Amino acid sequence: MQHTKSLTLDTIAHAIKSGGCKRIAFLTGAGVSVSAGIPDFRSPGGMYATLQPDLLTASEDERSDMKVDPTNVVSWRIFRNNQFPYLEVRRPFILGLSERKWLATLSHWFIQVCHDKGLLVRLYTQNIDGLDYQTNIPSDFIVGVHGSLGQIGCEFCGADCDVHEFQEKVKKNIKDIYGCDAQAPKESTPIFCESCGKPGLKPKTVLYGRRLPPAYFESVEKDFPDHVDLLMIAGTSLTVGPANGLVNQVSTLFFLFSFITTLFTVASILFFFVFSLSLVRFVSFPLLLFSSSSLHSSFLPFHTNYLCCRIPPY
């Protein structure tokens, strides 16, 4: 039987610094972008909690469905018949992306540090905000599990569309339900695909009820379980599948840890100091894993946090 030491933060730090743990993968969610000013989905004040279906261009049945389950606003079941709820909810994000309204956070740059240290195997990001691509991490290290707002295509025929052209159409055709754009139209009108003529143009984000990109499944098969020593799961409630199944892809020598909010008051104060040192070397590395579901300070790299790690003998 293989002997492993007690799985503590010090053990993980030693494993990384000694070279015993040198292949790290990340699974990230909306929490890592909260400090950039982008609300997450499921927390109080997030997109689903603040959704107002009555403001959307939708039938009474569709509004009822969204009130029962807010995720329906980004579902294939509604989009295939009515594209307006999705586009109206996403309007400020589609337009804000072109203006670089949001910038990569400490979390994103921490993953960049891991890449620069030669430790990064893969970043599996559930985020569609595109902030991961503002770093210098090569695109083949990044798997957009749920797609990206930065690419546009037709949901019906798959044809691509120029991002800037689409953004201009969104400005002119889609109403502003948030009351931020006085120049927005009062009513939404369709945005048609030039290839198939259907109103299916949208960012290439994965709707509920649709398949994930093939790159996700290909990368999982390639990476797990033999090519990952440490899996960091950050900023996600692990509610949405199949990405939440990554914790089941690791070997039996991996362990899952969930950190409790009250443990991190001191860690949050120390974070900037430790992170600045880590840019040069991994000093007290485990402190970089601390997070809190109730603290959205830019001092903290992660919103929520889990670790799956195998500690090789050393």
Side-chain angles (χ1 to χ4, degrees):
M1 177 181 295
Q2 181 176 355
H3 173 71
T4 60
K5 293 189 176 183
S6 175
L7 188 58
T8 65
L9 294 177
D10 286 340
T11 306
I12 296 169
H14 183 79
I16 294 172
K17 292 165 70 175
S18 67
C21 179
K22 52 190 176 183
R23 300 175 297 181
I24 302 176
F26 287 82
L27 172 63
T28 60
V32 301
S33 295
V34 167
S35 62
I38 301 175
D40 64 10
F41 293 91
R42 290 177 172 78
S43 295
M47 191 186 85
Y48 294 145
T50 59
L51 182 69
Q52 299 183 58
D54 290 335
L55 298 180
L56 298 172
T57 305
S59 68
E60 287 304 317
D61 287 343
E62 290 168 340
R63 291 190 180 118
S64 178
D65 286 345
M66 288 183 277
K67 289 176 182 178
V68 172
D69 183 358
T71 65
N72 282 322
V73 73
V74 289
S75 71
W76 170 240
R77 187 164 65 87
I78 286 183
F79 185 89
R80 63 185 175 184
N81 297 312
N82 180 3
Q83 299 75 42
F84 294 138
Y86 174 97
L87 293 174
E88 290 169 359
V89 164
R90 297 283 194 223
R91 186 182 195 273
F93 303 103
I94 294 169
L95 301 182
L97 189 64
S98 66
E99 302 164 359
R100 289 181 68 89
K101 183 176 179 180
W102 305 285
L103 299 176
T105 69
L106 207 55
S107 302
H108 301 95
W109 292 112
F110 170 64
I111 300 173
Q112 168 78 63
V113 170
C114 290
H115 174 265
D116 293 345
K117 296 284 185 179
L119 296 169
L120 183 64
V121 173
R122 198 88 59 197
L123 165 58
Y124 293 87
T125 175
Q126 298 176 91
N127 296 335
I128 61 175
D129 53 39
L131 299 190
D132 303 284
Y133 299 94
Q134 291 184 10
T135 67
N136 296 316
I137 300 173
S139 59
D140 55 336
F141 280 80
I142 303 175
V143 175
V145 180
H146 297 153
S148 172
L149 288 170
Q151 296 177 310
I152 309 300
C154 178
E155 196 70 22
F156 296 113
C157 72
D160 291 333
C161 176
D162 179 75
V163 174
H164 299 295
E165 179 183 332
F166 177 74
Q167 289 167 340
E168 287 302 313
K169 291 180 179 179
V170 168
K171 281 184 182 180
K172 296 176 182 178
N173 291 47
I174 304 302
K175 72 178 185 180
D176 172 26
I177 64 170
Y178 302 96
C180 299
D181 184 358
Q183 304 302 315
K186 299 300 181 183
E187 301 293 334
S188 294
T189 54
I191 300 176
F192 294 102
C193 171
E194 293 183 359
S195 295
C196 69
K198 297 180 180 180
L201 287 180
K202 58 177 279 294
K204 289 186 177 180
T205 60
V206 180
L207 299 170
Y208 280 97
R210 300 289 263 179
R211 286 182 58 82
L212 297 189
Y216 169 76
F217 299 100
E218 294 166 0
S219 296
V220 169
E221 184 175 358
K222 180 179 180 181
D223 296 342
F224 295 96
D226 297 328
H227 301 289
V228 173
D229 298 322
L230 175 65
L231 172 62
M232 298 190 197
I233 303 175
T236 172
S237 59
L238 292 177
T239 301
V240 180
N244 58 4
L246 282 186
V247 297
N248 301 316
Q249 296 290 336
V250 296
S251 77
T252 56
L253 292 178
F254 284 59
F255 302 85
L256 177 64
F257 276 74
S258 175
F259 294 111
I260 303 173
T261 295
T262 54
L263 297 179
F264 305 117
T265 302
V266 175
S268 64
I269 297 172
L270 295 176
F271 178 75
F272 256 151
F273 172 70
V274 176
F275 184 79
S276 64
L277 291 177
S278 76
L279 293 177
V280 180
R281 62 189 186 279
F282 282 99
V283 176
S284 299
F285 176 79
L287 284 180
L288 298 176
L289 310 178
F290 286 169
S291 72
S292 165
S293 59
S294 63
L295 297 175
H296 293 162
S297 167
S298 60
F299 285 12
L300 295 173
F302 300 148
H303 182 207
T304 57
N305 186 89
Y306 303 84
L307 298 179
C308 296
C309 44
R310 173 175 57 194
I311 302 302
Y314 49 82

